[in-house]
Every structure is written in C-alpha cells, then in structure tokens.
Amino acid sequence: ITCLDISSGGGLGVSTSTDGTMKIWQAANGEIRRQLEGHVYDVNCCRFFPSGLVVLSGGMDAQLKIWSAEDASCVVTFKGHKGGILDTAIVERGRNVLSCSRDGTARLWDCGKSACLGVIADCGSPVNGIAVGAADNSLNLGTPEKAPSEREIGTEGKILLLAREDKKLEGVGLQSRQPVFLFVGSDAFNCCTFLSSTYILAGTQDGNIYQLDVRNTDAPVQVIHRSGAPVLSLLPYRDGFIASQGN
C-alpha cells in the first residue's frame, strides 16, 4: 500500500497499491466498496476532493486520474507528464489540481476541460512531494509574465512547495510561476506540508524534519532528528504534526 486518504466527512477511505489498483472502503468497518482499475503499474498517490465524492490519483504510468467514488468510473485522465507521478495537491474546491513527477516538473491542470494549464516548475530533478497553501501576506510571490487563464481558479496568493530529489526544498508562487525561496537540506526531500501560512515542514531521506519560516528560509526554525530512517510523510495535527518514517 503506497498511499491512503479519508473523505472529509470521514465515511470513506481510499488506498493505492503497487499492484496497480485502488480501493474505496467503508471507514467504519473496512468493508471494500469499490475497486478502481485503470492505472498501469504502481499507483503512488490518492486523495479525496473536498466534496468526498471524487478521488484524484497518480501513478507510475505518468497518468493522473479523477474517479467517482460512487460508481468507480474514471471521469478524467490527464496526460502530459513524462515520468511517474509522485504526489498531487488540490487547489481550493478542486476546479484545478496539481501534480509532480519523476520528470522534474509540477503541473497545474483544469479538471473541467481536462487540460494542462501550465508547468509551474521544471526542476531537472524528480519532485517527490508537493503541498499548496495560502502564503503569508508579507511574502513577495512575484507577478505572472502573462495574464493567467480564466480557467485558473484559486491560484492567487498561493505558494507551492516542492520536495525535490536533489536535496532542495523550493517555494514557487502558484500564479506567477516564480521562485520564492530555495532551501538546501541534508539529503533528498521526500515530503512537505504547511503548518500555517508562515511555517512549513519537510522531511528528508536521511531522517531530518526541517521546520522553516517561509519569510526567511536562510536557517531552519528547528531540525528534528529521531532516527536516520527516511521521513516518508508529514501531516499537520492539532498543534503539532504526525510524521511517518521508513523504520
């Protein structure tokens, strides 16, 4: 099993696996409700849209798919990445979604027209994880070189975090596509998340969890190191966060 998510209401769970399948299950008792089939090879990531009725997934087949949790149909398939998709993010209510890939790019997609709205970043190194959040007001997110498409919904004032294989954690203005900061860590970054509009977290392959202030990323607020095992996922929880490691 490579990824899990729970619907906003808490009723349904979704899981993805290296066997190429996805399952939707009843969260209360673990009963399998639907099997979602359509990806080839490993499915790496899944998440429910805020509605709780639709699921976004990405796989090693470089395809991003949107599924109905109710009848298991695949509603949309996005193609454009040249390598396996490693993580996804949903912008606001989900008119637009984001994906990152082994091909080094992060892309913004329009769900309604099932089209790519643009490459947000091209890093030249696999992007292992992404997170999108509202940026602190004092942050300069840059200005777009050309006016954003009217199909771009909810990208203004947002920053996209990129956890990169080349030991870099990057912040990019989602609407401007301009770099905001670049932080170099001790090893490949596997995952990242927002704690607030100012504080972010990112985890590395050699077991470090960096807490950074987006307004000044020169030095971390703190570095947490419990073991040398890879930090695989991070999730804000109450006043702190949950981390999973490879041990």
Coordinates of all heavy atoms in Angstrom, one line a residue, residues 140-230:
N140 N 6.6 38.1 -1.1 CA 6.5 38.5 -2.5 C 6.4 37.3 -3.3 O 7.4 36.6 -3.5 CB 7.7 39.4 -2.8 CG 7.7 39.8 -4.3 OD1 6.7 39.6 -5.0 ND2 8.8 40.3 -4.8
L141 N 5.3 37.0 -3.9 CA 5.1 35.8 -4.7 C 5.4 36.0 -6.2 O 5.3 35.1 -7.0 CB 3.6 35.3 -4.6 CG 3.2 34.9 -3.2 CD1 1.8 34.4 -3.2 CD2 4.1 33.7 -2.7
G142 N 5.9 37.3 -6.6 CA 6.2 37.5 -8.0 C 4.9 37.8 -8.8 O 3.8 37.6 -8.3
T143 N 5.1 38.3 -10.0 CA 4.0 38.6 -10.9 C 4.0 37.7 -12.1 O 5.1 37.5 -12.7 CB 3.9 40.1 -11.3 OG1 5.2 40.5 -11.6 CG2 3.4 40.9 -10.1
P144 N 2.9 37.2 -12.6 CA 2.9 36.4 -13.8 C 3.4 37.1 -15.0 O 3.2 38.3 -15.1 CB 1.4 36.0 -14.0 CG 0.7 36.4 -12.7 CD 1.5 37.4 -12.1
E145 N 4.1 36.4 -15.9 CA 4.6 37.1 -17.1 C 3.5 37.4 -18.1 O 3.5 38.4 -18.8 CB 5.7 36.1 -17.8 CG 7.0 36.1 -17.1 CD 8.0 35.1 -17.6 OE1 7.7 34.5 -18.7 OE2 9.0 34.8 -16.9
K146 N 2.5 36.5 -18.1 CA 1.3 36.9 -18.9 C 0.0 36.6 -18.0 O 0.1 35.9 -17.0 CB 1.2 36.1 -20.2 CG 1.3 34.6 -20.0 CD 1.2 33.9 -21.4 CE 0.8 32.5 -21.4 NZ 1.8 31.6 -21.0
A147 N -1.0 37.3 -18.4 CA -2.3 37.2 -17.6 C -2.7 35.7 -17.4 O -2.7 35.0 -18.4 CB -3.4 38.0 -18.2
P148 N -3.1 35.3 -16.2 CA -3.5 33.9 -16.0 C -4.8 33.6 -16.8 O -5.6 34.5 -17.0 CB -3.7 33.8 -14.5 CG -3.2 35.0 -13.9 CD -3.1 36.0 -15.0
S149 N -4.9 32.3 -17.2 CA -6.1 31.9 -17.9 C -7.3 32.0 -16.9 O -7.2 31.9 -15.7 CB -6.0 30.4 -18.3 OG -7.2 29.8 -18.3
E150 N -8.5 32.3 -17.5 CA -9.7 32.4 -16.6 C -10.1 31.1 -16.1 O -11.0 31.0 -15.2 CB -10.9 33.1 -17.4 CG -11.6 32.3 -18.4 CD -10.8 32.3 -19.8 OE1 -9.8 33.0 -19.9 OE2 -11.3 31.7 -20.7
R151 N -9.5 30.0 -16.6 CA -9.7 28.7 -16.2 C -8.9 28.4 -14.9 O -9.1 27.3 -14.2 CB -9.3 27.6 -17.2 CG -10.0 27.8 -18.5 CD -11.5 27.4 -18.5 NE -11.8 26.1 -18.0 CZ -13.0 25.6 -17.8 NH1 -14.0 26.3 -18.1 NH2 -13.2 24.4 -17.3
E152 N -8.0 29.3 -14.5 CA -7.2 29.1 -13.3 C -8.0 29.7 -12.1 O -8.2 30.9 -12.0 CB -5.9 29.9 -13.5 CG -4.7 29.1 -13.1 CD -3.4 29.8 -13.4 OE1 -2.9 29.6 -14.5 OE2 -2.9 30.5 -12.5
I153 N -8.4 28.8 -11.3 CA -9.3 29.2 -10.1 C -8.6 29.0 -8.8 O -8.2 27.9 -8.5 CB -10.6 28.3 -10.1 CG1 -11.2 28.2 -11.5 CG2 -11.6 28.9 -9.1 CD1 -11.9 29.4 -12.1
G154 N -8.4 30.1 -8.1 CA -7.9 29.9 -6.7 C -6.4 29.8 -6.6 O -5.9 29.4 -5.6
T155 N -5.7 30.3 -7.6 CA -4.2 30.2 -7.6 C -3.6 31.4 -7.0 O -2.4 31.4 -6.5 CB -3.6 30.0 -9.0 OG1 -4.0 31.0 -9.8 CG2 -4.0 28.6 -9.6
E156 N -4.3 32.5 -6.9 CA -3.8 33.8 -6.4 C -3.4 33.7 -4.9 O -4.2 33.1 -4.1 CB -4.8 34.9 -6.6 CG -4.1 36.3 -6.5 CD -5.2 37.4 -6.8 OE1 -6.3 37.1 -7.2 OE2 -4.8 38.6 -6.6
G157 N -2.3 34.2 -4.5 CA -1.9 34.3 -3.1 C -1.5 32.9 -2.5 O -1.3 32.8 -1.3
K158 N -1.3 32.0 -3.4 CA -0.9 30.6 -3.0 C 0.6 30.4 -3.3 O 1.1 30.9 -4.3 CB -1.7 29.5 -3.7 CG -3.2 29.6 -3.5 CD -3.6 29.0 -2.2 CE -5.1 28.8 -2.1 NZ -6.0 29.8 -2.7
I159 N 1.2 29.5 -2.5 CA 2.6 29.1 -2.7 C 2.6 27.6 -2.8 O 1.9 26.9 -2.1 CB 3.5 29.6 -1.6 CG1 5.0 29.4 -1.9 CG2 3.1 29.1 -0.2 CD1 5.9 30.1 -0.9
L160 N 3.4 27.1 -3.8 CA 3.6 25.7 -4.0 C 4.9 25.3 -3.5 O 6.0 25.8 -3.8 CB 3.4 25.3 -5.5 CG 3.6 23.8 -5.8 CD1 2.3 23.1 -5.3 CD2 3.7 23.6 -7.3
L161 N 4.9 24.3 -2.6 CA 6.2 23.7 -2.0 C 6.5 22.5 -2.9 O 5.7 21.7 -3.2 CB 6.0 23.2 -0.6 CG 5.6 24.3 0.5 CD1 5.5 23.6 1.8 CD2 6.6 25.5 0.5
L162 N 7.8 22.4 -3.2 CA 8.3 21.2 -4.0 C 9.4 20.5 -3.2 O 10.5 21.2 -2.9 CB 8.9 21.7 -5.3 CG 8.0 22.6 -6.2 CD1 8.8 23.4 -7.2 CD2 7.0 21.8 -6.9
A163 N 9.2 19.3 -2.8 CA 10.2 18.5 -2.1 C 11.0 17.7 -3.2 O 10.5 16.8 -3.8 CB 9.5 17.5 -1.2
R164 N 12.2 18.1 -3.4 CA 13.0 17.6 -4.6 C 14.0 16.6 -4.2 O 14.6 16.6 -3.1 CB 13.7 18.8 -5.3 CG 12.7 19.8 -5.9 CD 13.3 21.1 -6.3 NE 14.6 21.1 -6.9 CZ 15.1 22.1 -7.5 NH1 14.4 23.3 -7.7 NH2 16.3 22.1 -8.0
E165 N 14.3 15.7 -5.2 CA 15.3 14.6 -5.0 C 16.7 15.2 -4.9 O 17.6 14.6 -4.3 CB 15.2 13.7 -6.2 CG 16.1 12.5 -6.2 CD 15.6 11.4 -5.2 OE1 14.5 11.4 -4.8 OE2 16.5 10.7 -4.8
D166 N 17.0 16.4 -5.4 CA 18.3 16.9 -5.4 C 18.6 17.7 -4.1 O 19.4 18.7 -4.1 CB 18.6 17.8 -6.7 CG 17.6 19.0 -6.8 OD1 16.8 19.2 -5.8 OD2 17.7 19.7 -7.8
K167 N 18.0 17.3 -3.0 CA 18.2 17.9 -1.7 C 17.7 19.3 -1.5 O 18.1 20.1 -0.6 CB 19.7 17.9 -1.3 CG 20.4 16.5 -1.4 CD 21.8 16.6 -0.9 CE 22.5 15.2 -1.1 NZ 23.9 15.2 -0.5
K168 N 16.8 19.8 -2.4 CA 16.3 21.1 -2.4 C 14.8 21.1 -2.1 O 14.1 20.3 -2.6 CB 16.6 21.9 -3.7 CG 18.1 22.2 -3.9 CD 18.3 22.7 -5.3 CE 19.8 22.9 -5.4 NZ 20.2 22.8 -6.8
L169 N 14.5 22.1 -1.2 CA 13.0 22.4 -1.0 C 12.8 23.7 -1.6 O 13.5 24.7 -1.2 CB 12.8 22.4 0.5 CG 11.3 22.7 0.9 CD1 10.4 21.5 0.6 CD2 11.2 23.1 2.4
E170 N 11.8 23.8 -2.5 CA 11.6 25.0 -3.3 C 10.2 25.6 -3.0 O 9.3 24.8 -2.9 CB 11.8 24.8 -4.7 CG 11.7 26.1 -5.6 CD 12.0 25.8 -7.1 OE1 12.2 24.7 -7.5 OE2 12.1 26.8 -7.8
G171 N 10.1 26.9 -2.9 CA 8.7 27.5 -2.9 C 8.5 28.3 -4.1 O 9.4 29.1 -4.6
V172 N 7.4 28.1 -4.8 CA 7.1 28.8 -6.1 C 5.7 29.5 -5.9 O 4.8 28.9 -5.4 CB 7.1 27.8 -7.2 CG1 6.7 28.5 -8.5 CG2 8.4 27.1 -7.4
G173 N 5.6 30.7 -6.4 CA 4.3 31.4 -6.5 C 3.5 30.6 -7.5 O 3.8 30.5 -8.6
L174 N 2.3 30.2 -7.0 CA 1.5 29.3 -7.9 C 1.0 30.0 -9.1 O 1.0 29.5 -10.2 CB 0.3 28.7 -7.0 CG -0.6 27.7 -7.7 CD1 0.2 26.6 -8.4 CD2 -1.6 27.2 -6.8
Q175 N 0.5 31.3 -8.9 CA 0.0 32.0 -10.1 C 1.1 32.6 -10.9 O 1.1 32.6 -12.1 CB -0.9 33.1 -9.6 CG -1.7 33.7 -10.7 CD -2.7 34.8 -10.3 OE1 -2.4 35.9 -9.9 NE2 -4.0 34.4 -10.3
S176 N 2.2 33.1 -10.3 CA 3.3 33.7 -11.0 C 4.3 32.8 -11.7 O 5.0 33.1 -12.6 CB 4.1 34.7 -10.1 OG 4.9 33.9 -9.2
R177 N 4.3 31.5 -11.1 CA 5.3 30.5 -11.6 C 6.7 31.0 -11.2 O 7.7 30.4 -11.8 CB 5.2 30.2 -13.1 CG 3.9 30.2 -13.7 CD 3.0 29.0 -13.3 NE 2.0 28.7 -14.3 CZ 0.7 28.9 -14.2 NH1 0.2 29.4 -13.0 NH2 -0.2 28.5 -15.1
Q178 N 6.9 32.0 -10.3 CA 8.2 32.5 -10.0 C 8.7 31.9 -8.7 O 8.0 31.6 -7.8 CB 8.1 34.0 -9.8 CG 7.5 34.8 -10.9 CD 8.4 34.9 -12.1 OE1 9.6 34.9 -12.0 NE2 7.8 34.9 -13.3
P179 N 10.0 31.6 -8.7 CA 10.6 31.0 -7.4 C 10.5 32.0 -6.3 O 10.8 33.2 -6.5 CB 12.1 30.7 -7.8 CG 12.3 31.3 -9.1 CD 11.0 31.7 -9.7
V180 N 10.2 31.6 -5.1 CA 10.1 32.4 -3.9 C 11.2 32.2 -3.0 O 11.8 33.1 -2.4 CB 8.7 32.2 -3.2 CG1 8.6 33.0 -1.9 CG2 7.5 32.5 -4.1
F181 N 11.6 30.9 -2.8 CA 12.8 30.5 -2.0 C 13.3 29.2 -2.4 O 12.6 28.4 -3.1 CB 12.4 30.5 -0.5 CG 11.6 29.4 0.0 CD1 12.1 28.1 0.2 CD2 10.2 29.6 0.1 CE1 11.3 27.1 0.6 CE2 9.4 28.5 0.5 CZ 9.9 27.3 0.8
L182 N 14.6 28.9 -2.0 CA 15.2 27.6 -2.3 C 16.0 27.3 -1.1 O 16.9 28.0 -0.7 CB 16.1 27.7 -3.5 CG 16.6 26.4 -4.1 CD1 15.4 25.5 -4.6 CD2 17.6 26.7 -5.2
F183 N 15.7 26.2 -0.4 CA 16.4 25.8 0.8 C 17.1 24.4 0.5 O 16.5 23.5 -0.1 CB 15.4 25.6 1.9 CG 16.1 25.0 3.2 CD1 16.8 25.9 4.1 CD2 16.0 23.7 3.5 CE1 17.3 25.4 5.2 CE2 16.6 23.2 4.7 CZ 17.3 24.0 5.5
V184 N 18.4 24.4 0.8 CA 19.2 23.1 0.6 C 19.3 22.3 1.9 O 19.7 22.9 2.9 CB 20.6 23.5 0.1 CG1 21.4 22.2 -0.2 CG2 20.5 24.3 -1.2
G185 N 18.8 21.1 1.8 CA 18.8 20.2 3.0 C 20.0 19.2 3.0 O 20.9 19.3 2.2
S186 N 19.9 18.2 3.9 CA 21.0 17.3 4.1 C 20.9 16.1 3.1 O 21.9 15.4 2.9 CB 21.0 16.7 5.5 OG 19.7 16.2 5.8
D187 N 19.7 15.9 2.5 CA 19.5 14.7 1.7 C 18.3 15.0 0.8 O 17.6 16.1 1.0 CB 19.3 13.4 2.5 CG 19.7 12.2 1.7 OD1 19.8 12.3 0.5 OD2 19.7 11.1 2.3
A188 N 17.9 14.0 0.0 CA 16.7 14.2 -0.8 C 15.5 14.5 0.0 O 15.3 13.9 1.1 CB 16.5 12.9 -1.6
F189 N 14.7 15.4 -0.4 CA 13.4 15.7 0.3 C 12.3 14.8 -0.2 O 12.1 14.7 -1.4 CB 13.0 17.2 0.1 CG 13.7 18.1 1.0 CD1 14.8 18.9 0.6 CD2 13.3 18.3 2.4 CE1 15.5 19.8 1.4 CE2 14.0 19.2 3.2 CZ 15.1 19.9 2.7
N190 N 11.6 14.1 0.7 CA 10.6 13.2 0.3 C 9.2 13.8 0.4 O 8.3 13.3 -0.3 CB 10.6 11.9 1.2 CG 11.8 11.1 1.0 OD1 12.3 11.0 -0.1 ND2 12.3 10.4 2.0
C191 N 9.0 14.7 1.4 CA 7.6 15.2 1.6 C 7.6 16.6 2.2 O 8.7 17.0 2.8 CB 6.9 14.2 2.6 SG 7.8 13.8 4.1
C192 N 6.5 17.3 2.1 CA 6.4 18.6 2.7 C 5.0 18.9 3.0 O 4.1 18.3 2.4 CB 7.0 19.6 1.7 SG 6.2 19.5 0.0
T193 N 4.8 19.9 3.9 CA 3.4 20.3 4.3 C 3.4 21.6 4.9 O 4.5 22.1 5.3 CB 2.7 19.2 5.2 OG1 1.3 19.5 5.3 CG2 3.4 19.3 6.6
F194 N 2.3 22.3 5.0 CA 2.1 23.6 5.6 C 1.6 23.4 7.1 O 0.6 22.6 7.2 CB 1.1 24.5 4.9 CG 1.7 25.1 3.6 CD1 1.7 24.4 2.4 CD2 2.2 26.4 3.6 CE1 2.2 24.9 1.3 CE2 2.7 27.0 2.5 CZ 2.7 26.2 1.3
L195 N 2.2 24.0 8.0 CA 1.7 24.1 9.4 C 0.8 25.3 9.5 O -0.2 25.3 10.3 CB 2.8 24.1 10.4 CG 3.6 22.8 10.7 CD1 4.7 23.1 11.6 CD2 2.7 21.7 11.2
S196 N 1.1 26.4 8.8 CA 0.4 27.6 8.8 C 0.8 28.4 7.6 O 1.6 27.9 6.8 CB 0.6 28.4 10.1 OG 2.0 28.9 10.0
S197 N 0.4 29.6 7.4 CA 0.8 30.4 6.3 C 2.3 30.9 6.4 O 2.9 31.3 5.4 CB -0.1 31.6 6.1 OG 0.0 32.5 7.2
T198 N 2.8 30.7 7.6 CA 4.2 31.1 7.8 C 5.2 29.9 8.0 O 6.3 29.9 7.6 CB 4.4 32.0 9.0 OG1 3.8 31.5 10.1 CG2 3.9 33.4 8.7
Y199 N 4.6 28.8 8.6 CA 5.5 27.7 9.0 C 5.3 26.5 8.1 O 4.1 26.1 7.8 CB 5.4 27.3 10.4 CG 5.9 28.3 11.4 CD1 5.1 28.9 12.3 CD2 7.2 28.7 11.3 CE1 5.6 29.9 13.2 CE2 7.7 29.7 12.2 CZ 6.9 30.3 13.1 OH 7.4 31.2 14.0
I200 N 6.4 25.9 7.6 CA 6.3 24.7 6.8 C 7.2 23.6 7.3 O 8.1 23.9 8.1 CB 6.7 25.0 5.3 CG1 8.1 25.6 5.2 CG2 5.7 25.9 4.6 CD1 8.6 25.8 3.8
L201 N 6.9 22.4 6.9 CA 7.7 21.2 7.3 C 8.1 20.5 6.1 O 7.4 20.4 5.1 CB 6.9 20.3 8.2 CG 6.5 20.6 9.6 CD1 5.6 19.4 10.1 CD2 7.7 20.8 10.5
A202 N 9.3 19.9 6.1 CA 9.8 19.0 5.1 C 10.6 17.9 5.6 O 11.4 18.1 6.6 CB 10.5 19.8 4.0
G203 N 10.5 16.7 5.1 CA 11.3 15.6 5.6 C 12.2 15.0 4.6 O 11.9 15.0 3.4
T204 N 13.4 14.5 5.0 CA 14.4 14.1 4.1 C 14.7 12.5 4.2 O 14.2 11.9 5.2 CB 15.8 14.8 4.4 OG1 16.2 14.5 5.8 CG2 15.7 16.2 4.2
Q205 N 15.4 12.0 3.2 CA 15.7 10.6 3.1 C 16.6 10.2 4.3 O 16.6 9.0 4.7 CB 16.4 10.4 1.8 CG 16.7 8.9 1.5 CD 15.4 8.1 1.2 OE1 14.3 8.6 1.1 NE2 15.6 6.8 1.2
D206 N 17.4 11.1 4.9 CA 18.3 10.7 6.0 C 17.7 11.0 7.4 O 18.4 11.0 8.4 CB 19.7 11.3 5.8 CG 19.7 12.8 5.8 OD1 18.6 13.4 5.9 OD2 20.7 13.4 5.8
G207 N 16.4 11.2 7.4 CA 15.7 11.3 8.7 C 15.5 12.6 9.3 O 15.2 12.7 10.5
N208 N 15.8 13.7 8.6 CA 15.6 15.0 9.2 C 14.2 15.6 8.9 O 13.7 15.4 7.8 CB 16.7 16.0 8.7 CG 18.0 15.8 9.3 OD1 18.1 15.4 10.5 ND2 19.1 16.1 8.6
I209 N 13.6 16.3 9.9 CA 12.4 17.0 9.6 C 12.8 18.5 9.8 O 13.2 18.9 10.9 CB 11.3 16.6 10.6 CG1 10.9 15.1 10.4 CG2 10.0 17.5 10.3 CD1 10.0 14.5 11.4
Y210 N 12.7 19.3 8.8 CA 13.0 20.7 8.9 C 11.7 21.5 9.1 O 10.8 21.3 8.3 CB 13.7 21.2 7.6 CG 15.0 20.6 7.3 CD1 15.2 19.5 6.6 CD2 16.2 21.3 7.8 CE1 16.5 19.0 6.4 CE2 17.5 20.9 7.6 CZ 17.6 19.7 6.9 OH 18.9 19.2 6.7
Q211 N 11.7 22.4 10.1 CA 10.7 23.4 10.2 C 11.3 24.7 9.7 O 12.3 25.1 10.2 CB 10.2 23.5 11.6 CG 9.0 24.5 11.7 CD 8.5 24.7 13.1 OE1 8.8 24.0 14.0 NE2 7.7 25.7 13.3
L212 N 10.6 25.3 8.8 CA 11.1 26.6 8.2 C 10.0 27.7 8.3 O 8.8 27.4 8.3 CB 11.4 26.4 6.7 CG 12.5 25.4 6.3 CD1 12.5 25.2 4.8 CD2 13.9 25.8 6.8
D213 N 10.5 28.9 8.4 CA 9.6 30.1 8.3 C 9.7 30.6 6.8 O 10.8 30.9 6.4 CB 10.1 31.1 9.3 CG 9.2 32.4 9.3 OD1 8.6 32.7 8.3 OD2 9.1 33.0 10.4
V214 N 8.6 30.6 6.1 CA 8.7 31.0 4.7 C 9.2 32.4 4.4 O 9.7 32.7 3.4 CB 7.3 30.8 3.9 CG1 6.9 29.4 3.8 CG2 6.2 31.6 4.6
R215 N 9.1 33.2 5.5 CA 9.5 34.6 5.3 C 11.0 34.7 5.3 O 11.6 35.7 4.9 CB 8.9 35.5 6.4 CG 7.4 35.6 6.4 CD 6.8 36.1 7.6 NE 7.2 35.3 8.8 CZ 6.7 35.5 10.0 NH1 5.9 36.5 10.2 NH2 7.1 34.7 11.0
N216 N 11.7 33.7 5.9 CA 13.2 33.7 6.0 C 13.6 32.3 6.1 O 13.6 31.7 7.1 CB 13.7 34.5 7.2 CG 15.2 34.5 7.3 OD1 15.8 34.0 6.4 ND2 15.7 34.9 8.4
T217 N 14.0 31.7 4.9 CA 14.4 30.3 4.9 C 15.9 30.1 5.0 O 16.4 29.0 4.7 CB 13.9 29.6 3.6 OG1 14.4 30.4 2.5 CG2 12.4 29.6 3.6
D218 N 16.7 31.2 5.3 CA 18.1 31.0 5.4 C 18.5 30.0 6.4 O 19.4 29.2 6.2 CB 18.8 32.4 5.8 CG 18.6 33.4 4.7 OD1 18.3 33.0 3.6 OD2 18.7 34.6 5.0
A219 N 17.9 30.0 7.6 CA 18.2 29.0 8.6 C 16.8 28.4 9.1 O 15.9 29.1 9.3 CB 18.9 29.6 9.8
P220 N 16.8 27.0 9.4 CA 15.6 26.4 9.8 C 15.2 26.9 11.2 O 16.1 27.3 12.0 CB 15.9 24.9 9.9 CG 17.3 24.7 9.4 CD 17.9 26.1 9.2
V221 N 13.9 26.9 11.5 CA 13.4 27.2 12.9 C 13.9 26.1 13.8 O 14.3 26.3 14.9 CB 11.9 27.3 12.9 CG1 11.3 27.6 14.3 CG2 11.4 28.4 11.9
Q222 N 13.7 24.9 13.3 CA 14.3 23.7 14.1 C 14.5 22.6 13.1 O 13.9 22.5 12.0 CB 13.4 23.3 15.2 CG 12.0 22.9 14.8 CD 11.2 22.2 16.0 OE1 11.8 21.8 17.0 NE2 9.9 22.2 15.9
V223 N 15.4 21.6 13.5 CA 15.6 20.4 12.8 C 15.4 19.3 13.8 O 16.0 19.2 14.8 CB 17.0 20.3 12.2 CG1 17.1 19.0 11.4 CG2 17.3 21.5 11.3
I224 N 14.4 18.4 13.5 CA 14.1 17.3 14.3 C 14.7 16.0 13.7 O 14.5 15.7 12.5 CB 12.6 17.1 14.5 CG1 11.9 18.4 15.1 CG2 12.2 15.9 15.3 CD1 10.5 18.5 14.8
H225 N 15.5 15.3 14.5 CA 16.1 14.1 14.0 C 15.9 13.0 15.1 O 16.6 13.0 16.1 CB 17.6 14.3 13.8 CG 18.3 13.2 13.1 ND1 18.3 13.0 11.7 CD2 18.9 12.1 13.6 CE1 19.0 11.9 11.4 NE2 19.3 11.3 12.5
R226 N 15.0 12.0 14.8 CA 14.8 11.0 15.8 C 15.6 9.7 15.4 O 16.0 9.0 16.2 CB 13.3 10.6 15.8 CG 12.4 11.7 16.3 CD 12.5 11.8 17.9 NE 12.0 13.0 18.4 CZ 10.7 13.2 18.6 NH1 9.8 12.3 18.3 NH2 10.3 14.4 19.1
S227 N 15.7 9.5 14.1 CA 16.5 8.3 13.6 C 16.9 8.6 12.2 O 16.4 9.5 11.6 CB 15.6 7.0 13.7 OG 14.8 7.0 12.5
G228 N 17.8 7.8 11.7 CA 18.3 8.0 10.3 C 17.3 7.5 9.3 O 17.6 7.5 8.1
A229 N 16.2 6.9 9.7 CA 15.2 6.4 8.7 C 14.6 7.5 7.9 O 14.3 8.5 8.4 CB 14.2 5.5 9.5
P230 N 14.3 7.2 6.6 CA 13.7 8.2 5.8 C 12.3 8.7 6.3 O 11.6 7.9 6.8 CB 13.4 7.5 4.4 CG 14.3 6.3 4.5 CD 14.6 5.9 5.9

